[in-house]
Amino acid sequence: MATLLDVDAIEDSARQAPALIRYLEEGDFVTRRYVSQGLEINTGRYRDYPMVVRDGMPIRDHFAFDTHGFMLGRHRTAISDFWDKAEVDRLYLRECEAAIQSLTGASCVAAGGWMIRTSADLTARAQEKVANYRHEGGIQPPAGEAHVDYNEITGRRAAERAYATAFPDRPGYKRYVCVSFWRSFSSGPQDWPLAVCDGRTVSDEEATSNTLFVVDDLPVGDALTAPVDGEDQMIAASIFRHRDRHRWWYFSNMAADDVLLFKFQDSDHDVTWRCPHTAFHDSSLPGTRTRASIEVRAIAFFE
């Protein structure tokens, strides 16, 4: 059995890439995230902090879902073209449900929306006018700051709603885990890969909620932070302030069959129950290429 010293030695041996990780600054802000087609912005004040991101690919089997809050698995997809929205809609969510169930040992899994993210220029797309924009099944830029997609109230409500809808005849669940099932489908190395933070190095002390507003047109000026009734009960993510103890990882040159599974929220807080994540510019490898990835939100239930 590996000792803590062995584990530290394994993790400290990993190659380190210099990175700038964007965090919420210290202070009291109205924290919101507005999303529209091809564009996402945050209120509050953010700053880039120098950090290192360790490359976990050579030790990929070291990472455990309930220990680190993430794991790297393998899954072969039947999707031939992830840019084909109809094909993804038809096949991919059911694939992901089966894969997540296998990786976690869950009783059942309900997958929700998917999103493609790319480091390609989305300026023209963001200028397109789309009525009744929905934040799923589209194309967005990579994540810009350290965050977890759900705060606790959002995750709990998402689980209750998903289980009632997908499994009305099942006996009920004792535990739920809100997850992201993430894969790159462009050739590596990625210019803006996804980094995940060891959830054991994060605490509530540096976390705050970030309310989500899905809009056709972004508000401007004072409208960005004007009071909204009931905002504390709206869908929100968790965002984080910088702490030196945060330990970041990524997996360089992910292949087509590599999938990164990480936690938004686990109702069992006796294990590592969340995993902050963000994109970062990888300057440590030569010949990086434009990133294209797809993520699926899902909830695994343990009955």
Side-chain angles (χ1 to χ4, degrees):
M1 180 179 294
T3 67
L4 289 176
L5 288 176
D6 294 333
V7 170
D8 287 343
I10 291 170
E11 295 193 356
D12 288 342
S13 70
R15 182 182 68 86
Q16 297 184 2
L20 292 175
I21 302 294
R22 182 160 294 175
Y23 288 97
L24 181 70
E25 288 192 11
E26 300 295 333
D28 186 17
F29 309 110
V30 175
T31 48
R32 295 174 179 167
R33 176 169 169 248
Y34 291 92
V35 298
S36 189
Q37 174 156 294
L39 186 66
E40 302 181 5
I41 64 168
N42 284 288
T43 62
R45 194 163 65 231
Y46 291 77
R47 182 157 69 88
D48 293 334
Y49 290 80
M51 300 289 283
V52 296
V53 180
R54 292 168 170 82
D55 184 1
M57 186 59 84
I59 55 171
R60 57 180 296 158
D61 294 333
H62 166 75
F63 300 96
F65 191 54
D66 284 339
T67 301
H68 297 84
F70 63 87
M71 65 178 294
L72 189 67
R74 290 185 172 88
H75 170 253
R76 179 162 294 181
T77 179
I79 304 298
S80 58
D81 180 7
F82 279 103
W83 298 110
D84 185 339
K85 185 177 186 302
E87 184 179 22
V88 175
D89 282 337
R90 181 169 56 87
L91 297 175
Y92 197 52
L93 295 187
R94 302 292 82 79
E95 279 191 358
C96 294
E97 289 172 344
I100 294 166
Q101 188 171 9
S102 176
L103 288 169
T104 64
S107 305
C108 51
V109 177
W114 58 269
M115 183 69 70
I116 286 175
R117 293 189 182 271
T118 179
S119 57
D121 186 357
L122 295 179
T123 302
R125 183 175 181 84
Q127 292 173 346
E128 296 175 1
K129 295 297 181 182
V130 176
N132 301 315
Y133 172 73
R134 296 182 63 191
H135 195 50
E136 60 181 36
I139 305 170
Q140 292 290 113
E145 71 290 325
H147 73 287
V148 174
D149 289 48
Y150 298 157
N151 65 4
E152 286 203 70
I153 190 171
T154 298
R156 184 173 68 250
R157 288 175 174 173
E160 291 168 353
R161 184 171 56 251
Y163 193 84
T165 300
F167 311 113
D169 299 323
R170 294 185 72 103
Y173 56 91
K174 298 176 181 177
R175 174 190 178 195
Y176 68 84
V177 189
C178 304
V179 301
S180 177
F181 188 82
W182 189 96
R183 77 194 312 146
S184 167
F185 59 89
S186 57
S187 300
Q190 306 287 308
D191 54 355
W192 283 88
L194 185 70
V196 288
C197 186
D198 185 330
R200 298 171 297 176
T201 68
V202 177
S203 76
D204 287 337
E205 175 266 330
E206 66 265 26
T208 192
S209 290
N210 198 32
T211 313
L212 175 65
F213 291 87
V214 179
V215 296
D216 293 340
D217 296 297
L218 297 177
V220 296
D222 292 342
L224 283 165
T225 55
V228 174
D229 289 340
E231 184 168 350
D232 61 341
Q233 297 297 308
M234 296 172 67
I235 294 172
S238 293
I239 50 177
F240 298 86
R241 294 177 171 87
H242 170 262
R243 298 294 182 265
D244 286 334
R245 60 178 145 77
H246 294 168
R247 176 167 285 208
W248 289 92
W249 293 91
Y250 85 122
F251 296 91
S252 62
N253 280 303
M254 288 177 66
D257 291 347
D258 290 327
V259 289
L260 182 58
L261 182 69
F262 58 93
K263 296 184 182 183
F264 294 152
Q265 183 191 143
D266 191 331
S267 62
D268 182 359
H269 285 204
D270 289 334
V271 298
T272 301
W273 61 276
R274 63 183 169 188
C275 176
H277 52 281
T278 189
F280 77 101
H281 181 232
D282 187 6
S283 61
S284 69
L285 296 175
T288 57
R289 303 173 182 177
T290 299
R291 164 186 152 186
S293 61
I294 186 167
E295 60 196 45
V296 170
R297 292 181 175 183
I299 305 177
F301 296 97
F302 298 80
E303 296 173 341

